Amino acid sequence: HELGDFVILLNAGMSIQQALFFNFLSACCCYLGLAFGILAGSHFSANWIFALAGGMFLYISLADMFPEMNEVCQEDERKGSILIPFVIQNLGLLTGFTIMVVLTMYSGQIQIG
């Protein structure tokens, strides 16, 4: 993960020293998140924290995924085949949503090991 961030910073035009500094700075922010999580965990229900974290992950993934899916659809539209990518993309999204709903409904009954 950190190596990927480092390469992204280098591709953004930063020098090696700048990229190392900002990568180190972003890695240190996890300690702020840890402290916030510990403080929030002692004052709020874990369900609210998990809901907030899950919502942020969904927002980030969908905000990044939908523009990418739109680009693929535009490329396929130029080639003349839009129905197949549309069906595949929607089946993928529905599969993901279904998995999340099933996990939510049966989370109390799932036993590992």
Side-chain angles (χ1 to χ4, degrees):
H1 182 282
E2 299 301 325
L3 184 60
D5 289 347
F6 179 70
V7 171
I8 289 171
L9 293 173
L10 286 177
N11 285 337
M14 291 186 178
S15 69
I16 292 176
Q17 290 82 11
Q18 287 175 325
L20 284 172
F21 173 74
F22 284 109
N23 198 16
F24 176 74
L25 189 65
S26 74
C28 289
C29 287
C30 71
Y31 294 111
L32 293 174
L34 172 70
F36 178 74
I38 290 172
L39 291 174
S42 63
H43 295 294
F44 297 105
S45 169
N47 292 336
W48 286 99
I49 295 171
F50 290 145
L52 181 65
M56 287 191 300
F57 277 116
L58 283 174
Y59 170 75
I60 291 168
S61 65
L62 291 175
D64 192 35
M65 186 178 7
F66 278 124
E68 181 78 22
M69 288 170 48
N70 191 26
E71 287 179 26
V72 169
C73 279
Q74 288 176 354
E75 289 174 10
D76 288 334
E77 186 177 320
R78 281 184 239 127
K79 295 177 185 174
S81 135
I82 187 125
L83 184 61
I84 293 173
F86 175 76
V87 170
I88 290 172
Q89 289 173 356
N90 283 303
L91 283 176
L93 286 172
L94 288 174
T95 302
F97 292 145
T98 304
I99 289 170
M100 296 302 288
V101 167
V102 168
L103 284 174
T104 302
M105 289 173 42
Y106 297 106
S107 64
Q109 300 169 358
I110 297 173
Q111 293 186 11
I112 299 174

